[in-house]
Each structure stands twice: as C-alpha cells, then as structure tokens.
Amino acid sequence: MASKQFTIQDREVIELPKPLDQLSNSELERKSCIGRVMTYTLRSLTNQLVDRGFQWLLPVALSQSTDPLWPDPGASIEKRVEVDIYGKTVRTTTSMIIHKLIAASLVYQKLFILSPNIRIEKAERAYTGKHIYEFTQLDFEVRDASSKDVMRTVEDVICNLLTQLKRDMKEELTALCRCDTLTLPKKPFKVYDRAELEAKYGACWEEAISKEISEPVWITNIPREFYDFEDFKTGKWDNYDLFMPQFGEVLSGAKREWDYEKILKKIERDKVNKSNYALLLKLAKEGKLKPSAGGGIGIERLVGWISGVKHIAETQPFPRVPGTVYEL
Ligand code: ATP
Ligand code: ASP
Ligand code: MG
C-alpha cells in the first residue's frame, strides 16, 4: 500500500522567539510562566534521580573528546567549535557521552549531568522549532543496565513529573492552554521499530509518527554513532528515542558498546577521527570500559512540549535560535 510521504512543506512557518528586551508585557508574563514550569521540571527530575541513587556530576565545557555527532543521518552541524589551549586543541561540548561512559565505568554506577551542549545547527533549522544552538541535556548513564531498565526508569520519572505538574502547576498549565491537553500517559509506553516506520512513512517518518501518536512512544533500532550498541549479526541497534505527541524527539539513549574490537571497527567504518577517542579505546582495550545504558533528555524540548510552545527557544531566557545571534 502506498503511504503518504511527509515533506518540509507540511510544516507551518513559525515566528522566531525574541530576546527579553523586545517582549511585550504579556509576552514577559508568558516567559515567566514557562520559567516556573522549567524550575519545577528541573527540581522534579533531579530530585527523582537523586532519590533513585544517581550521583549528580557537574558538566565540562571544553575537552579533546566530545560527541562526534556522526554518522547521524539527522545531524546538521554548520560549524564545529575548536580552540587551542595549553598547546592542545579542545572542542566545546556537543554532548558528554564519552565522559559518561568513562565515569560510569570507573567511578559512578549511576550518574547524571545537566550538561550544556553547543551544536551550531544550520540556520534553516531555526524553523523546525526544535533546534537551538545551545541547549541543556539531562544526560544520565547506568553501569550494567539494560535498555529495558532505562526505558522503565524514564517512563516512571516522566509520569511522576506529569502527575506532579498537573497537581501543583494548574495556574501555569491553564495560562499555557495545557491543563486539559497534557494527559497522563499509560505505562509502559508503546515501542516502534524505526525500520518499520521508515518502510511505512518514508524518510520523514519522525514527523509522521509524531503527528499520529497521542501518548509518548519509544522508537528503537536507529543507526547512529559508534557508541550505541549494534548487533553485528542482525544489524539491529539496541537504542531508543522518546517521542512526544505532536512534538517529536525529546530523548535519545542506548545500551553502549564496550568491546574494544567492535568500537575500533565502528570508528574506522564511520571515518571518525580515532585520535579524539584514544582514552576510550585504551580503556576498552584494557577491559576497563564496562557495559552501560543511558540517555539524554533535551530539557528545552521537554519543557517546550509540556508548555506547548511553537519554538523551544521560548523556554530559554536568552534564545539561541539557529542563524541569529542576539547581544545576550
Ligand atoms: P535531532 O535529530 O532532533 O536533530 P539529535 O537526534 O541529533 O536531534 P541527539 O544527539 O540525540 O540529538 O541529542 C540528544 C537530545 O538532545 C535529543 O533527544 C534532544 O532532546 C536534544 N537536542 C539535540 N539537538 C538539539 C538542539 N539543536 N536543540 C535542542 N535540543 C537538542
Ligand atoms: N545523550 C545521548 C545519549 O546518551 C547522546 C547524544 O547526545 O548524542 O545517548
Ligand atoms: Mg537523537
């Protein structure tokens, strides 16, 4: 059966968020309201993780090794930010995935970080409403965990957050017109395989499934960076994205590779610069890299979905819209 191919024309053109000094009084009130939802969400998520025994690590901004963001078919990086310090080239953090894998293996069995990520997305991504060039991931990792363990933890944490928000943030959700539409999902969330979605909807499956669902769902088996676990026999990837209805991806995560030969093979296959991952490779070779699973929640996307914004930069006090640099 022929299926509808969703294209970029299906998207509505949205107004881009403005800086604080250009907002009207009612827009400033809305900003403050979203700010209260943001504060509540951060408190709920961090409290829940700490209560579950996670250790809270502070982020790093500059490292030799950061997420290659490659080969992700959805990646759209215009520029990689590198700078020389003390005779070494360091990169601004694109994600703390490499740090997480090493920290979870060597020290912290369960960890999370509120990690600022810099990704200079192409300017045209301003109009997706889902991309900003600086954002924060709640990045977490658990040594010896499976994908299922992580998925169940995320479902619990998200459902608790929504229950608490609906109890304590009625005024804010009403002002944002989300009081009735933000419903409590049923657990466990439904799981879809990316290959089946691609066969049904074509290349724009992400947009199509986001429009079709009425509750959060998991999408598994997505080919991407070397650190996600790939079964070489079946070609299947043991990874998962969390998609919200009418919105799309808010989390990406996976079970991880820890075997030296596999990591090396994937790095070489993907033509990723091996020298940026020398420590990870060394630890894997010595058997010190441990199996783990984890993920990262895009905080602006989660709060943007909860608040029903058209553009996630609305959740930022100082908007980071691709293609636009304001003074602050
Ligand atoms: P997309 O395909 O939507 O561009 P991604 O899959 O490349 O995103 P990941 O590398 O999986 O992004 O990043 C982990 C999480 O960080 C995403 O699930 C999302 O919530 C958030 N995120 C990624 N890029 C951005 C961005 N440019 N702006 C805001 N949040 C982002
Ligand atoms: N945070 C993601 C993960 O844990 C990786 C990424 O940001 O690309 O899988
Ligand atoms: Mg992703």
Side-chain angles (χ1 to χ4, degrees), residues 34-320:
I34 296 171
R36 293 196 292 281
V37 174
M38 172 68 82
T39 301
Y40 192 95
T41 299
L42 289 172
R43 184 175 61 186
S44 169
L45 297 178
T46 54
N47 278 350
Q48 290 194 62
L49 291 178
V50 171
D51 289 348
R52 283 173 162 72
F54 282 74
Q55 281 178 275
W56 189 344
L57 275 55
L58 293 176
V60 295
L62 297 170
S63 312
Q64 283 179 261
S65 188
T66 193
D67 194 330
L69 299 180
W70 182 263
D72 177 347
S76 152
I77 299 300
E78 178 158 312
K79 183 187 172 122
R80 299 193 181 249
V81 185
E82 295 184 351
V83 57
D84 286 344
I85 54 170
Y86 311 120
K88 291 248 158 84
T89 303
V90 290
R91 292 155 191 93
T92 51
T93 299
T94 48
S95 95
M96 282 184 64
I97 181 69
I98 306 299
H99 300 74
K100 285 199 306 180
L101 301 191
I102 292 177
S105 294
L106 299 186
V107 197
Y108 315 96
Q109 203 242 328
K110 293 164 133 188
L111 66 91
F112 75 91
I113 316 155
L114 280 168
S115 163
N117 292 182
I118 296 184
R119 300 188 188 177
I120 313 301
E121 304 274 3
K122 288 200 171 30
E124 68 250 26
R125 283 206 153 180
Y127 292 97
T128 65
K130 309 285 156 38
H131 294 94
I132 43 191
Y133 64 85
E134 279 186 67
F135 63 95
T136 298
Q137 271 198 70
L138 199 173
D139 231 338
F140 58 93
E141 200 67 26
V142 182
R143 192 196 311 150
D144 294 327
S146 67
S147 288
K148 285 232 158 47
D149 297 333
V150 172
M151 288 154 93
R152 294 299 88 86
T153 300
V154 170
E155 288 167 359
D156 286 345
V157 166
I158 295 285
C159 288
N160 288 341
L161 166 67
L162 294 176
T163 306
Q164 295 162 2
L165 276 165
K166 286 175 77 63
R167 184 190 64 206
D168 299 337
M169 292 266 111
K170 275 206 179 74
E171 200 182 305
E172 285 78 6
L173 294 179
T174 304
L176 296 164
C177 303
R178 287 292 275 151
C179 212
D180 298 328
T181 52
L182 194 65
T183 53
L184 199 61
K186 279 182 282 303
K187 292 185 287 189
F189 301 168
K190 227 172 145 178
V191 180
Y192 291 87
D193 185 294
R194 181 269 322 158
E196 285 165 24
L197 293 179
E198 220 171 349
K200 186 167 173 199
Y201 296 110
C204 293
W205 61 267
E206 296 194 28
E207 215 160 334
I209 192 68
S210 307
K211 284 184 184 159
E212 194 175 293
I213 55 178
S214 55
E215 301 226 316
V217 299
W218 293 107
I219 318 280
T220 61
N221 184 26
I222 308 168
R224 52 188 176 215
E225 290 89 347
F226 70 83
Y227 48 77
D228 282 9
F229 190 92
E230 181 184 1
D231 184 330
F232 278 175
K233 284 199 202 94
T234 61
K236 280 208 163 203
W237 292 71
D238 190 355
N239 57 14
Y240 37 85
D241 278 4
L242 181 64
F243 271 55
M244 297 313 201
Q246 309 306 312
F247 188 88
E249 178 187 330
V250 297
L251 170 151
S252 273
K255 179 180 159 179
R256 313 300 182 183
E257 300 287 6
W258 71 94
D259 177 80
Y260 171 73
E261 296 295 339
K262 267 185 97 184
I263 297 177
L264 184 65
K265 196 175 253 179
K266 289 172 85 182
I267 285 182
E268 286 175 349
R269 176 187 75 184
D270 298 347
K271 301 191 171 49
V272 165
N273 187 348
K274 216 187 314 181
S275 65
N276 292 346
Y277 302 96
L279 179 61
L280 189 81
L281 285 164
K282 176 179 172 285
L283 291 171
K285 199 171 192 176
E286 292 168 357
K288 291 183 181 155
L289 195 66
K290 303 293 177 199
S292 68
I297 300 175
I299 291 293
E300 295 85 353
R301 286 199 189 173
L302 178 63
V303 172
W305 172 71
I306 291 168
S307 305
V309 300
K310 286 235 153 60
H311 198 296
I312 61 166
E314 276 194 68
T315 70
Q316 296 185 293
F318 311 106
R320 263 50 189 149

